[in-house]
Amino acid sequence: MREISVIGGGSWATALVKILAENKIRVYWYLRRQLQVEAITREGRNPDYINFAKLDTDYIEASTDLDDVLSKCKHLLFVVPSAHLPAVCQQIDPQQMEGKIIISSIKGTVGPDNLLPSAYLAKSFSALQVNQAVIAGPCHAEEIAAGKKTYMTVCAGDQVLRTALGNALASNYIQICESQDLLGVEYAAIFKNVVGLVCGMAKGMNYGDNFIAVLVANAIHELETLLHALGLDGARIGSSSYLGDLFVTAYSQHSRNRTFGVLIGQGYNVEQTKDTMSMVAEGYTATKGLHDMAAARGLNLPILNTAYRILYNYMPVKTEFKLLERSMI
């Protein structure tokens, strides 16, 4: 893999582009805003996200022309918020996607059917699973931008694709973990954002470490329940792409979802919280997608239910947490 097209201009997309360009992978990068393109081309920095990260422009060609970026090469990496993925896909002619390798790193369910991002992309473009891959965490864009040691999971059913993608991303500070568990890793990446929200709510209401530890322990049980209901009992839940990703989202100051939850816990409503934050917190839309899916399967997941009632039924956060306290084990 010597070149790749990247669709998405947020912090996580910027971090991945940084790694790829450092590894001398030519990146054709689609961004929506011309000002972003001009700043990246001129200064080697994304002005809107992790702007302290220096990008090697010798290997980056930024553009607002989606069709041109898609036509450049065989490997495509989608890194957009899950809520925006349908709009992006609607701009793409399916014939243009024939024979492409589709890679995604999106952490939320998509559309009214609550599909995984990889499933939505496969459905939209008739992609075979053998031509798909997923990039997962635990990874914070800010730490990658600072060159801090990071373990990244590359998932693909095809060994050749896993190896090629892993080689494109590996570096002296990026350790690659390979996996064939696309479904489990994607569901875990979505669920951990909900957990990050709820942990943030607890922090915003001045709950202490003792309570949050119990909250996370119960979240692990809910994740296991969810995976079992989906027939994914073989998942290595103790691995970095499962619990590692959950822990970093629940506890890190870099977690957008935790920050979103902190504001809710402090008394902000959803719209005020969205206005306050400059970045998308995937856990908000993920909460509804996972809640609808869990309800359809008759699952009782108290932490997920709590997040849903607070965010979508506008129930008082303090009242809901008093109820949640009683369900903890």
Side-chain angles (χ1 to χ4, degrees):
M1 189 184 298
R2 302 309 309 165
E3 57 183 7
I4 190 168
S5 295
V6 177
I7 298 92
S11 58
W12 182 226
T14 303
L16 290 172
V17 168
K18 174 182 181 289
I19 299 166
L20 291 162
E22 286 174 346
N23 287 343
K24 296 180 170 50
I25 307 296
R26 177 154 294 281
V27 178
Y28 304 101
W29 192 4
Y30 168 72
L31 304 108
R32 291 187 303 159
R33 297 177 59 247
Q34 183 62 31
L35 289 176
Q36 274 184 299
V37 170
E38 292 172 2
I40 290 165
T41 303
R42 183 178 62 251
E43 302 168 13
R45 299 183 191 277
N46 185 337
D48 298 335
Y49 300 96
I50 54 173
N51 56 17
F52 63 92
K54 189 70 174 73
L55 307 172
D56 188 345
T57 55
D58 288 343
Y59 292 92
I60 297 171
E61 184 179 314
S63 172
T64 58
D65 188 334
L66 179 57
D67 288 339
D68 184 59
V69 168
L70 292 174
S71 69
K72 291 291 189 180
C73 60
K74 180 179 181 180
H75 294 88
L76 311 178
L77 171 56
F78 287 81
V79 200
V80 298
S82 58
H84 299 169
L85 184 59
V88 172
C89 291
Q90 286 169 11
Q91 300 176 56
I92 299 172
D93 182 350
Q95 291 186 337
Q96 195 175 8
M97 300 293 283
E98 291 181 7
K100 300 286 190 181
I101 302 297
I102 300 177
I103 306 158
S104 60
S105 191
I106 302 170
K107 299 173 181 179
T109 57
V110 185
D113 295 328
N114 303 314
L115 296 177
L116 290 174
S118 64
Y120 186 88
L121 289 164
K123 181 180 178 181
S124 298
F125 305 121
S126 302
L128 300 175
Q129 190 178 59
V130 71
N131 289 334
Q132 283 194 279
V134 169
I135 299 171
C139 308
H140 278 312
E142 294 83 358
E143 293 199 355
I144 287 174
K148 294 188 177 183
K149 187 67 178 183
T150 298
Y151 286 71
M152 183 179 292
T153 301
V154 170
C155 301
D158 181 69
Q159 177 64 65
V160 174
L161 177 54
R162 282 201 309 275
T163 300
L165 184 56
N167 289 342
L169 293 166
S171 73
N172 63 329
Y173 66 96
I174 301 292
Q175 180 77 34
I176 298 297
C177 304
E178 293 189 11
S179 173
Q180 300 181 57
D181 182 20
L182 275 81
L183 295 182
V185 166
E186 276 193 286
Y187 273 115
I190 295 167
F191 180 76
K192 60 92 177 182
N193 283 335
V194 180
V195 177
L197 280 176
V198 179
C199 286
M201 293 176 191
K203 186 68 174 178
M205 289 187 290
N206 292 316
Y207 281 86
D209 292 342
N210 293 344
F211 176 82
I212 293 176
V214 175
L215 180 60
V216 171
N218 279 261
I220 294 169
H221 175 67
E222 288 195 18
L223 176 58
E224 290 175 327
T225 300
L226 176 64
L227 294 174
H228 175 73
L230 295 167
L232 300 171
D233 295 301
R236 288 187 59 223
I237 195 168
S239 64
S240 60
S241 57
Y242 280 88
L243 294 192
D245 208 1
L246 188 152
F247 290 152
V248 77
T249 305
Y251 290 111
S252 175
Q253 63 180 348
H254 296 307
S255 170
R256 285 171 278 173
N257 293 285
R258 189 174 186 271
T259 300
F260 192 104
V262 168
L263 293 172
I264 295 292
Q266 290 175 343
Y268 289 71
N269 63 36
V270 170
E271 293 308 316
Q272 289 170 332
T273 301
K274 287 180 179 179
D275 291 341
T276 299
M277 294 185 64
S278 60
M279 296 182 288
V280 174
E282 286 278 26
Y284 174 70
T285 52
T287 295
K288 186 177 188 307
L290 284 181
H291 178 269
D292 292 350
M293 187 186 69
R297 288 167 170 77
L299 301 179
N300 179 31
L301 305 176
I303 295 172
L304 176 60
N305 293 341
T306 296
Y308 180 82
R309 288 195 295 265
I310 292 169
L311 298 176
Y312 289 92
N313 291 348
Y314 310 110
M315 299 300 291
V317 63
K318 291 183 179 179
T319 301
E320 287 300 319
F321 263 72
K322 287 301 179 184
L323 294 173
L324 181 61
E325 288 177 23
R326 300 173 191 171
S327 70
M328 297 293 216
I329 57 173

